[in-house]
Amino acid sequence: MGKRHFSGLEVSLMVLFALVLVVAVAMVVLLATGEPGTMKEVDMTNIPYKLLACLANSSYLSLQQKCLERACCWSPLNETNVPWCFFSKNHGYSVVSENIEAKLTRMDAPSLFGADIKELTFYAEMQTENRLRFKITDANQARFEVPHEHVQSLSDTPNGPLKYRLELIQKPFGLKVWRTTSPEKLLFDTTFGPLVFADQYLQLSAKLPSHNIYGLGEHVHQTFRHDTKWKTWPIFTRDAFPNGGTHNLYGHYPYFTCLEDTSGQSFGVFLMNSNAMEVTIQPAPAVTFRTIGGVLDFYILVGETPEAVVDEFTKLIGRPFIPPYWSLGFQLSRWDYGSLEEVKKVVERNRQADLPYDVQYTDIDYMENKKIFTYDMDKFAELPQFADYMHDKGQKYIVILDPAVSTGQRINGPYDSLERGHAAKVWVTEPDGVTPLLGEVWPGETVFPDYTNQACIDWWVDEISRFHKEVKHDALWIDMNEVANFIKGGIKGCADNKLNYPPFTPCILDDLMYSKTLCMDAKHKWGDHYDVHMFCNRSMVFTRSSFPGVGKYSGHWLGDNGANWNDIKWAIPGMLEFNLFGIPYIGADICGFFDNSTEELCTRWMQVGAFYPFSRNHNAQGYADQDPVAYGIDSLVVTTSRHYLNIRYTLLPYLYTLFYKAHVNGETVVRPVMHEFYSDIETWAVHKQFMWGAHLLITPVLDPGVKITDRKATINMHLPADKIGLHLRGGGILPVQRPNVTTTYSRLHPMGLIIALDDNKAASGELFWDDGDSRVAHNEYTDPNNLKFEKITVMGVNTAPALVRVSDGNTVITLNVSQINHDSSTQVLHLENLELDLGKDYTVNWESKISVNIDCYPEGDENQAKCEARGCIWEPLSNPQCYYAENHGYITSNKVETASGITVDIDRNTEFPSQRSRSRDISKLRVDITYLSGRSLRWKIFDPYNARYEVPIHLDLPATPETDETKREYRVQINNQPFGIQVIRKESNEMIWDSAVPGFTFSDQLLQISTILPSDYVYGFGETEHPTYKHDLNYQKYGLFAKDQPPGYKLNSYGVHPFYMGLEKSKSAHGVLLLNSNMIGRPVLPAYWSLGFQLCRYGYASDTEIADLYRDMKAAQIPYDVQYADIDYMERQMDFTLDQVNFKELPALVDQMRAEGMRFIFILDPAIAGNETKGSYPAFDTGIEKDIFIKWPAEFSSDIVWGKVWPDYPNVTVDNSLDWDTQVELFRAFAAFPDFFKNSTAEWWGEQIKDFYNNIMKFDGLWIDMNEPASFVHGTVGENCLGNEDLENPPYMPPLESKLRGLKHKTLCMNSEQILASGTHVKHYDVHNLYGWSHTKPTYDALLSTTGKRGVVVTRSTYPSSGRWAGHWLGDNYSAWDQLLKSIIGMCLVVLGKISITGADICGFFNTAENEMCLRWMQLGAFYPFSRNHNTINMPRQDPVAWGPEFAAMSRDVLNIRYTLLPYLYTLMYEAHVHGNTVVRPLLHEFVTDEKTWDIDRQFLWGPALLITPALDPGVTVVRGYVPNERWYDYHTGEAVGVQGQFVDMDTPLTKINLHVRAGHILPWQKPENNTHYSRLNPLGLIVALNDEGVAHGSLFWDDGEGISEFCLCVCVCVCVCVCRDGNHEELNGFDFS
């Protein structure tokens, strides 16, 4: 309680004075520096202690002179809160002897405040694995130390390895505390500033690892996270108003927590010192502690999470007490009710309102003249009976006690409490140690109990006991115990000495040590008040002043706040901080202590106050009543208070359990959001929301007139005047109880559970229950009221259960329909009228019928009329808004089952109208299901009466179906209406395909089928860019249509792969493809040399540039096998030609490079220029002769469908300054597109390739591009597509990149005609996505036929089975950091399509690369199967030698690792070719039973055994990587990694990529050289990674590396280890080649 309230006039005068003071100070500073308007430059290069204040809290007068006298450095700045005088490097101490105990000697430097202590002792204790203590004190003389009852030195040694390491620095003395992660993290570094240790001035500074600093107190912190811009916070308990300033308040907490980073790792720092002090927080970030006495006794607490640090701190200072259950109820109080009659009026009116309400207080007005242990026998005559009055209605009564005791007599006789105190000599005394010190508090002249004196404690307990017999009460409220005194020091004043006027005074309120308290030289049993001021409070129940450890006995309220909108905000950081301090029983005065509270403010404050752990409405003398009913029984205050207090009382079992967990485990009760979501940096500064435990998020309204509250940028909450935001976190179970008006009654009511399911449909929770007020918590408590659980609420249940059963292990009860209530709109299931005994085990399970809303209007732009016209359901609040009715689709008939499959006819359900008039429905269909093998099946749905286009791809199907049902791992069933196929995995009984959902559509131009997935884990669908490997299932659409489109989010790119892989809850996996992945053929085995590093760019100016690059790469000794030439080598970008001006010498260069073991690859595009003079361009002429180009259907025209691509017209000079479309129109030649489906086209293509090889230039591989097919005009030249417009703009357009421009955009007209090998004429509409696929095999065949060797083909456009002939790169990416991660995701998706040779353009194709990014990309790209650095024209070079020697050296190092491991990579390629294994492998492919791997896409594997963890972000030197649950070895050092199944920090300097080898595997290797021609001549070796049994296995495939025929050696290797009995050595045994 405060003494007074300032008037408006007083406030105005104070503001005026402050303004005058600011101007005066500015003038003084100008005079002192003599440099108005300028900043003096100071050379600080040799000074280690930058900007650590040397003149702490000094006068501005003669600042510069004082600074220089102290051998400090002077640098006036233009920021007044930044020090101008700071330490030089000659301050501090030096270590003269070192151990866990060290002797320190002061260095020669001027004194700051005198009485410096020359010799110090430093002592460190490694108290536990997570707790370090270090103490610095006078080596020769004892000093005051806090006699804390709980914080003691430990006799035991830590049980496990230390999580920290202490490092001592000799001169100047300093210490560093490191977290012993890998790599280590520096947590606390005192070398940042000097140690100062004088008799009355102790200073220590430390640099911290982050700006995320929380704690220190007690003050008003307007934000939870500290501002590190030179804020100084005084700590000295003081009776002051918490009005938003930086001044010291009631408690003393020199403790803070620091969150290090998104890992959650945190640490706490506690200075065990009770003297007045200040703490400065600096931008470094750093902290400086300055205290005026005692010792420096620090505790560093290391935790894996912020919550773990609170656990460590409360282990040290004492766990919080468990408050009685009733104390968690709502409470009412005010200062000066005036009489007991008025108190009862307040009680009765709030009872009448049925307001949940447990506790009533009386403030000092109940006392006789404010004397403690008395009551006013006039106005409060019936106070002895008041507790019974409260108890009759199940309520409690609390009285206030202040420490100060009046020296006056009572009205009717002696003041017995005073006399007994005199007799026991319990008072704080004058410096003579005898005379009681006199002060003045509420009753007038007073004496002050000395709670450091055992006699005082005995007297105090006895007085409370005596008073309780006189006036019964249920608890005590302790106030004014800072200790507060209304006069300065004492009635006699304070002596002029170093205790009352120390040489340094922290920046405390009034800058006077004894202001509003006792003289500092007053005597206590423990010593001078100067040292023990903070201990004037002995907390028993509920206290205003506090010190670390008080939470073991007491709660705390946040003091005498004001009825204003600032104080309602600032209460939240205060509550969060006291939970850090180990005092979870915390709250603010609801509706404010001072001033009158408006109805809106009190309404909002009652809402949030209902979720304060200590929930009390309290206000001051002279202000209007503010208990809820004071605003009117029908007021919004009452209505909302009743509503939210009922919620509070409902949740009290959960809150009580949180207090138990705080008491046992040290957890917070009110919890910062960042404690739970530390990986989300947005939570680090959240202070307007808070949580109860881990699972209830409270979002109050803290501003006037607000109905919409912003929290995260994407969420607005509608919060009208009677609402606040309450959200339950998925994964939690909250115990609840039906509320009542008091906890006495609510504890008799049945209980319940609120279950909030998480994304995995899981949740967990706890309930602690005892009698609610016993001093010892009961762990085996039996409730006498025979409590039962009556209701279970489950959130996140999508569909209504068909059946609910409850079992106690012996009896199973099926709930009837009336007990089950499911709300489909909120997805909440209520199970009601249960009778489940508290303390017994039960199992509740239910069976759900899954209903799925399938979008009936996927085009978008839907409304109710359009939706209902399709016979669909319109619900504007659902997603989707328009969805199919439950029985929409087809109906089955004529089902025939055989041993090899099922045949069934299906008919469209004509109850529903046709969906699209432009796309004719096919009403009668047939379904053929074939059991291909034990693990695969195929179904085909088709029109049995009219042939339709089918994909002309040969399938490698089994010769005969699997007819033995016992050998099939699946079973198939047919749903009749709506028609659907259901595939069930027998082993787990999981349905892995279920299309028995509405919406199946089969019309001429739209076919749609949907399935329910067995889990949220789905991967695949391409080729589109995905931000994560695992799909987001929140209504995402991906258009699949081959197009010349650089990668971008949801943009359809070069290939089409309608395949996905799904994981199941049983941790099995399945794949779904229109052509099943096991039938599309094995990946091609590339030539060995193609696994080497490759260089390319679009924009080589001449053959000389390539020659120079080759020379420089050889000189830098960077491994390098393949050089490319892009379209620059061609004459006017025409296939099968050579630019005789700029690339005339290229054939000779190619021959030279090939002679030196290098290989060359050229690009070929499919489009052939058509404007050349007849006879001058054989490729076109022979193409015309053989009729191989795509044409119009004969009924429209016999002409070629002309496009434009790269070839230029003859005899033109291209003006590159023109816009692109103009260049295409003026300079690009007409181009014809070969129809590669025709056998004649394949022959023609092979002839052109062979002719080029024999007559123009040699090559070793081919790169085919632009084969989507791409065109620079839309459809055809002139953009006039002939024929059916519905083919260009179909009735349903998938969500493609350019859906508004039609399918012809940047490609051919869809009505163009192509001819299959069978002679069947088809529309380009049907085969567009197969163009690149049809281009690939003829190219591969031509390469083998021409060179006689295996080589490699790389293609841009792909379709399932393209991998049988070619590799694929990920297209024209960008030079950006996000592309590194996206390349891993892209590779993992491509390998699902059985394409083993894959990778992205290293360092990016478009835009200018940046050095660090390119280096990290080179490291990552060294582990792409297809490892090529490639970029575009008019961009700077980005090959390894372009960046300078250091970059080249680092590139060489990582490529040497690749080349060393090429035998392993080649073996993986062979296993992919023979067995269909993946080469690049997501972690989940190997560790599918470990669900942590299901989301990992920042790491990948080579095969089963090499784990690659690249750096993917700028500036990182540490990456967070997962170590799967097996033994792993560091590739670089050979050392075993010490953890399994955990995420760890991995040191990643610029020179390193993290590689780990899996135990139990053998990796073949070979000494690297500059290219594979030479490396293949070197001896081979083995990396053997032994598992826990001492065993490893592996294999090696070896052949000539490029032969076409079967020429190979397959070596299987097994290694066992025999360990000798003496344990001195291990030897390899049983080395076996077979």
Side-chain angles (χ1 to χ4, degrees), residues 1272-1300:
F1272 296 160
V1273 294
H1274 309 309
T1276 186
V1277 177
E1279 302 190 10
N1280 180 29
C1281 290
L1282 307 180
N1284 185 359
E1285 173 61 20
D1286 279 350
L1287 297 182
E1288 312 302 335
N1289 295 282
Y1292 173 72
M1293 177 69 80
L1296 306 179
E1297 177 270 337
S1298 53
K1299 61 183 292 185
L1300 298 180

Side-chain angles (χ1 to χ4, degrees), residues 1137-1154:
T1137 67
L1138 180 68
D1139 179 350
Q1140 295 293 335
V1141 176
N1142 297 310
F1143 288 87
K1144 182 178 180 181
E1145 301 302 324
L1146 184 58
L1149 176 62
V1150 170
D1151 291 343
Q1152 175 199 336
M1153 293 173 68
R1154 295 177 80 232

